[in-house]
Amino acid sequence: MKKLVYIFAALIFCFAAGSSYAADVKINEFLAHPSSKPTRLNEWIEFYNPEHIDLSGYFIDDDTDFSNDSGGSKIKKLEGMSSDTDYAVFENSSSMFNNSGDNVILFSPEGNIVDQYTYTDDPDDNSIGRSPDATGGF
């Protein structure tokens, strides 16, 4: 009976610890419509990651269906993401988000939505972000 209690406690701890990390990662800011200026050629997404978890297994997409990529762009794995900072930036090598409006969605490695934001107007070379950083609304 004592072993069963320890196993049950360990399972609860593992489940709680695993779910709390994903909840701490947030989309903090993004640029969906960069200008043609040489300094801003690519879209980018900044993530608030206070636990410094490895984001290289996470995904970014423009639609909410992880298993059936129905958006206008293919889902992208966040490979090569740094986990040594509270604010990690992923730069898209190709355009993903529609200028006139789209979804910015962060998926966990298991395909669960961690955070998302929908914009409806063309941001036209302006980033969209939380204010204040990490805790505020967009």
Side-chain angles (χ1 to χ4, degrees):
M1 181 67 170
K2 199 174 191 179
K3 285 183 182 179
L4 185 60
V5 171
Y6 285 125
I7 291 172
F8 184 70
L11 286 172
I12 289 174
F13 174 78
C14 289
F15 177 74
S19 62
S20 68
Y21 287 114
D24 290 338
V25 177
K26 296 179 183 175
I27 297 167
N28 192 57
E29 187 174 0
F30 63 92
L31 180 67
H33 183 186
S35 73
S36 58
K37 297 175 187 171
T39 57
R40 290 192 186 165
L41 294 178
N42 295 326
E43 299 171 340
W44 52 264
I45 305 105
E46 176 187 72
F47 301 100
Y48 176 60
N49 184 10
E51 299 294 329
H52 298 194
I53 63 170
D54 182 8
L55 296 178
S56 62
Y58 284 65
F59 298 86
I60 196 78
D61 203 359
D62 64 344
D63 68 85
T64 59
D65 191 349
F66 183 79
S67 58
N68 180 14
D69 200 13
S70 60
S73 299
K74 297 216 180 270
I75 194 168
K76 292 184 181 179
K77 192 170 187 179
L78 301 180
E79 296 176 319
M81 289 291 299
S82 172
S83 60
D84 60 355
T85 179
D86 286 359
Y87 297 92
V89 176
F90 176 76
E91 190 169 336
N92 279 332
S93 57
S94 60
S95 180
M96 170 179 264
F97 305 115
N98 295 321
N99 295 344
S100 59
D102 212 341
N103 300 298
V104 180
I105 301 174
L106 175 64
F107 286 100
S108 70
E110 298 79 26
N112 299 315
I113 295 176
V114 175
D115 196 16
Q116 66 184 31
Y117 181 74
T118 300
Y119 61 99
T120 56
D121 295 321
D122 187 346
D124 195 22
D125 201 34
N126 292 301
S127 65
I128 298 172
R130 294 182 186 273
S131 180
D133 273 348
T135 59
F138 283 91

